[in-house]
Amino acid sequence: MVHADGSVCQTWDFLKQHGLQGFINIWPRPTAISWKIIACYAAFEAALQLLLPGKMVEGPISPEGNRPVYKANGMAAYTVTLVTYLSLWWFGIFNPSIVYDHLGEIFCALIFGSLVFCIFLYIKGHLAPSSTDSGSSGNIIIDFYWGMELYPRIGKNFDIKVFTNCRFGMMSWAVLALTYCIKQYEQNGKVADSMLVNTILMLVYVTKFFWWEVGYWNTMDIAHDRAGFYICWGCLVWVPSVYTSPGMYLVNHPVNLGLQLALCILAAGVLSIYVNYDCDRQRQEFRRTDGKCLVWGKAPSKIVASYTTTSGETKTSLLLTSGWWGLSRHFHYVPEILAAFFWTVPALFNHFLPYFYVIFLTILLFDRAKRDDDRCGSKDEIKFDDHLVADTGSTGSCTVRGSATGLFRESTKTSLLVAPQLALNRSTVPLPPSIAAATAIAPPTQNDEAMTIEGLKISARPLYLDMQATSPVDPRVLDAMLPYYLARYGNPHSRTYLYGWESDQAVETARSQVADLIGASQKEIEEGFEVAYLPVWNDGIVDLEKLGEGVDKAGYSISGGDGSWRKRRWGMMMRGLGVCRRGGWMELGLSLMVVVVNGSVERRNGGNLNLSFACVEGESLLMGLKEVAVSSGSACTSASLEEPSYAWRVLGVDEDMAPTSIRFGIDRRAIELTVREMSPLYEMMKEGIDINGHNTDWLIH
């Protein structure tokens, strides 16, 4: 930045000409003034951390079951620091240009001083650990690099990691950003718009950090990484020198962007910082309210996870999977990288070194994401799906194993039991949710080419066309209910503990949703019901006039003539009515005279078809349909061949035709895909080919 004008090529040429000795000659040495500046700054920030008032807040529970307590006065310390620094310059007491003029000496002093500080932390971790969250790995290098203590403190109240990470490292970022801006002003008599954009964006970012400092105490840096060389030396040396390097470059390389370009870069940078903040805010609010909040105006989707600390205590954690956290893994890293790019791009692209921080940050965050994922999945076992992205808030490992269904995964170190959302397996043909879920839950057998069931050999799993008999649960219902099968299984009438409260709240939420769906009040839900039996026409259609006469104002339920649906919950029935759509079988264009369509041809439930084949017994016909899973009769009497069902009788169908019927049922969410699998002509029709036209040539195989 100083001797090679920010150019990698010039740096390489210098090293080739002068070698190692030349590098040693230009390396700055610590001076007395550099040590004084560091000492005064560190003492000032330590005093603010201890003396300024602030709300006492609790951090996340540690692996040993400890919960650290912090004083949240970061924003106050940040404000006092910047006001004091600018006041010293404004009133001529101290010129920040002195800091810039001795920057190399300051950085060199920080390098060696921080190394000594890390040795102190290593010795303290062995001799006087602050809590039970400490210990040795048995390897001196690993202990020194990764640290001995998770929450080291001096005395009871001075937290060392808060000081190194927040009050020294992040605070120095803002102080040096102002220093570079002031130096350019005093050097050139003005501040270039590129420097203004850089300084403003850096200050906005650091302001955001201290505004959200309480949330930072729940992140990996504080809650997982121990206080060793890796984290402490990085915050004491790397942050002040590398993170501020774009501003350092602009001091002697001012760029005039022009008002329009400068404002565009500034706006893009501020937007990126806001999105980064809002990601963290969503997660923090979600955890603070135990998931009882709105995310983007809607109730959040979430995963309930149970884990056990190393002390054996079982805890529950909620993982947010909507809002920003529903877009991708670790989405909050994307705007953070973009923000770094936008406060660097005012330097334009004349040299590489200003962009070193952006590249470093990208590598750092990819590594951090990988480390976080490594705690939640083993490379030799099942990986979490795309929705299991949110930080667990715990600090234990989350290595997972698969269960029989593939839905539930349990960690090896923290007994983390989760029910991840079912993710669509998007291949060349997008699968409907129900089929994708079925694939995830029950994958085909390994020998899927041929199988023998009850003495019948078939080439592959048959095509399932019996949805009226039984059908897969809607994945949305499964996703909503899984937490109450695993972690929130309390009786809603048990009012003396958390499990009962959670279940009671869930019941009330469901009651409210059903009431909103049908336009009723919550009090009218589950008050009981009266049953009225209505006649139907010969094609199975209900007489709407009779229906209108029998409908109660509170709502209605529908069942088969024999009450075969009586065990289904009313809310589920209403949901089915709400999402049901027509279509499917009407496109088949059946024209065989020996085939009778049972029920209305024009008005019927999409995906359902019941056909009678005159003079052919249905059960005999089924024996020849080895590759298709269908049934005879109606769903309510699938197991009986002795008599027609109630549904047949209310339709007025000849009882002799009942045994000749075949029932086809397609999942309403998979109609198009199933028809596509049944007939290649469907794709031709979708492409606009007239399969009945005279210009179509058919080949006989």
Side-chain angles (χ1 to χ4, degrees):
M1 288 293 186
V2 178
H3 297 278
D5 204 32
S7 170
V8 174
C9 294
Q10 290 185 34
T11 302
W12 178 250
D13 291 339
F14 176 85
L15 293 176
K16 283 200 304 183
Q17 294 178 15
H18 301 90
L20 180 61
Q21 187 59 46
F23 178 75
I24 294 174
N25 292 337
I26 66 172
W27 184 267
R29 308 297 195 273
T31 59
I33 190 171
S34 65
W35 287 114
K36 289 179 182 179
I37 291 174
I38 294 172
C40 290
Y41 170 72
F44 183 73
E45 293 303 326
L48 294 182
Q49 181 177 336
L50 285 172
L51 301 178
L52 285 179
K55 180 182 178 181
M56 305 306 292
V57 298
E58 293 182 335
I61 299 176
S62 71
E64 292 293 328
N66 300 316
R67 188 183 286 275
V69 178
Y70 303 96
K71 184 193 291 186
N73 59 3
M75 194 64 193
Y78 175 68
T79 303
V80 171
T81 297
L82 295 192
V83 170
T84 301
Y85 194 60
L86 290 173
S87 298
L88 292 175
W89 170 62
W90 184 261
F91 292 106
I93 301 173
F94 177 79
N95 192 339
S97 294
I98 297 175
V99 176
Y100 179 84
D101 295 338
H102 295 83
L103 204 56
E105 303 159 20
I106 293 173
F107 288 159
C108 184
L110 283 174
I111 290 173
F112 294 107
S114 300
L115 184 63
V116 173
F117 180 74
C118 291
I119 295 174
F120 159 76
L121 290 178
Y122 173 79
I123 296 174
K124 178 185 180 300
H126 272 290
L127 301 180
S130 301
S131 71
T132 54
D133 288 293
S134 60
S136 172
S137 66
N139 186 310
I140 186 174
I141 297 177
I142 294 178
D143 288 346
F144 176 77
Y145 184 78
W146 286 112
M148 297 284 296
E149 296 184 78
L150 184 60
Y151 300 113
R153 296 196 171 188
I154 298 176
K156 182 180 179 180
N157 299 319
F158 189 77
D159 189 282
I160 292 177
K161 282 175 70 177
V162 171
F163 175 75
T164 58
N165 295 25
C166 306
R167 307 309 167 81
F168 193 100
M170 291 300 296
M171 199 75 75
S172 67
W173 191 348
V175 170
L176 288 175
L178 288 176
T179 299
Y180 299 147
C181 189
I182 293 172
K183 177 63 179 180
Q184 189 183 80
Y185 173 77
E186 294 200 343
Q187 185 172 278
N188 302 331
K190 63 178 183 179
V191 178
D193 53 10
S194 56
M195 177 63 86
L196 281 176
V197 172
N198 170 269
T199 304
I200 292 173
L201 287 180
M202 284 189 173
L203 290 179
V204 170
Y205 181 82
V206 178
T207 303
K208 183 270 301 183
F209 173 84
F210 283 106
W211 181 267
W212 174 77
E213 187 182 42
V214 172
Y216 175 71
W217 293 334
N218 291 274
T219 65
M220 182 182 294
D221 288 355
I222 300 294
H224 179 70
D225 292 337
R226 295 192 173 193
F229 178 87
Y230 166 77
I231 192 75
C232 293
W233 190 90
C235 290
L236 295 174
V237 179
W238 202 252
V239 171
S241 59
V242 174
Y243 285 34
T244 66
S245 58
M248 185 196 309
Y249 171 84
L250 286 171
V251 171
N252 296 317
H253 305 84
V255 177
N256 294 316
L257 300 172
L259 181 61
Q260 186 174 2
L261 180 57
L263 289 177
C264 288
I265 295 174
L266 181 64
V270 171
L271 178 61
S272 298
I273 295 170
Y274 170 76
V275 173
N276 175 253
Y277 162 76
D278 198 49
C279 289
D280 294 322
R281 183 200 60 79
Q282 279 185 356
R283 178 174 60 180
Q284 187 175 359
E285 181 67 11
F286 173 78
R287 289 177 176 170
R288 185 187 67 81
T289 62
D290 195 29
K292 297 177 177 63
C293 62
L294 296 180
V295 175
W296 288 354
K298 298 184 295 184
S301 63
K302 54 185 178 291
I303 295 171
V304 181
S306 301
Y307 64 95
T308 304
T309 66
T310 54
S311 62
E313 188 177 2
T314 301
K315 301 292 183 182
T316 300
S317 179
L318 294 181
L319 310 180
L320 177 61
T321 58
S322 59
W324 298 114
W325 299 93
L327 298 181
S328 71
R329 286 182 189 271
H330 307 285
F331 178 80
H332 57 313
Y333 290 156
V334 175
E336 187 163 358
I337 294 172
L338 287 175
F341 172 79
F342 286 123
W343 68 57
T344 303
V345 78
L348 298 184
F349 305 99
N350 294 323
H351 292 297
F352 167 78
L353 282 182
Y355 291 89
F356 175 76
Y357 168 66
V358 180
I359 297 172
F360 162 77
L361 179 67
T362 303
I363 296 172
L364 172 70
L365 295 183
F366 268 89
D367 173 72
R368 184 170 294 176
K370 180 181 181 300
R371 288 169 55 209
D372 194 33
D373 291 342
D374 284 346
R375 291 190 297 132
C376 295
S378 169
K379 64 182 180 181
D380 296 324
E381 299 174 11
I382 301 173
K383 298 292 184 183
F384 283 122
D385 61 51
D386 289 340
H387 287 284
L388 195 53
V389 179
D391 231 346
T392 61
S394 66
T395 57
S397 172
C398 305
T399 305
V400 298
R401 65 167 176 81
S403 68
T405 63
L407 277 176
F408 311 107
R409 296 135 191 207
E410 183 177 333
S411 70
T412 57
K413 294 184 180 179
T414 60
S415 300
L416 176 67
L417 184 63
V418 301
Q421 288 184 339
L422 298 175
L424 247 62
N425 177 21
R426 300 190 181 276
S427 56
T428 54
V429 179
L431 297 177
S434 59
I435 292 183
T439 302
I441 297 172
T445 58
Q446 293 183 356
N447 184 17
D448 202 30
E449 296 183 355
M451 62 184 70
T452 300
I453 300 178
E454 295 186 357
L456 179 64
K457 186 175 182 180
I458 56 178
S459 60
R461 294 180 66 84
L463 181 64
Y464 187 76
L465 297 177
D466 199 15
M467 290 293 177
Q468 273 66 55
T470 183
S471 59
V473 66
D474 190 312
R476 293 168 295 180
V477 176
L478 179 64
D479 180 59
M481 291 302 299
L482 275 176
Y484 302 99
Y485 295 146
L486 296 173
R488 299 188 173 189
Y489 40 77
N491 187 325
H493 299 292
S494 300
R495 304 300 179 89
T496 58
Y497 49 77
L498 176 63
Y499 291 86
W501 302 336
E502 290 176 335
S503 297
D504 181 63
Q505 179 61 43
V507 171
E508 292 304 315
T509 300
R511 192 195 308 274
S512 174
Q513 292 171 341
V514 173
D516 292 341
L517 177 66
I518 65 173
S521 68
Q522 293 189 33
K523 295 181 179 180
E524 294 176 293
I525 306 302
E526 298 180 12
E527 282 191 343
F529 53 86
E530 296 180 359
V531 178
Y533 295 92
L534 302 176
V536 297
W537 296 333
N538 289 340
D539 58 2
I541 303 301
V542 176
D543 188 331
L544 294 182
E545 293 184 0
K546 297 291 185 181
L547 177 64
E549 295 173 0
V551 171
D552 186 84
K553 294 182 180 180
Y556 60 90
S557 178
I558 300 176
S559 71
D562 61 343
S564 58
W565 290 357
R566 60 184 177 272
K567 293 184 180 180
R568 294 199 178 187
R569 293 184 182 273
W570 193 64
M572 294 277 289
M573 289 295 301
M574 294 307 297
R575 170 177 291 229
L577 291 172
V579 300
C580 180
R581 64 171 183 264
R582 303 188 58 79
W585 290 108
M586 298 304 102
E587 299 179 1
L588 295 182
L590 298 173
S591 60
L592 295 176
M593 295 301 295
V594 294
V595 178
V596 177
V597 178
N598 297 310
S600 174
V601 175
E602 292 82 11
R603 296 181 293 174
R604 67 186 306 122
N605 179 36
N608 164 263
L609 181 66
N610 195 302
L611 303 176
S612 289
F613 297 84
C615 303
V616 179
E617 187 180 24
E619 292 294 324
S620 300
L621 183 58
L622 291 181
M623 297 301 294
L625 299 176
K626 299 180 181 179
E627 310 299 330
V628 181
V630 293
S631 294
S632 63
S634 62
C636 48
T637 58
S638 292
S640 174
L641 298 176
E642 297 181 357
E643 60 178 355
S645 70
Y646 293 93
W648 281 100
R649 291 173 177 171
V650 298
L651 286 176
V653 177
D654 190 336
E655 292 192 4
D656 293 336
M657 291 291 288
T660 70
S661 67
I662 302 294
R663 185 181 71 255
F664 300 87
I666 297 179
D667 187 347
R668 57 182 171 77
R669 294 158 293 177
I671 291 177
E672 182 175 342
L673 179 61
T674 307
V675 174
R676 182 188 298 124
E677 292 177 351
M678 291 175 57
S679 173
L681 302 182
Y682 178 80
E683 290 294 341
M684 297 173 62
M685 185 184 69
K686 293 285 286 187
E687 294 174 3
I689 300 175
D690 183 6
I691 60 176
N692 297 317
H694 299 292
N695 296 327
T696 304
D697 295 327
W698 301 98
L699 298 179
I700 300 177
H701 293 277

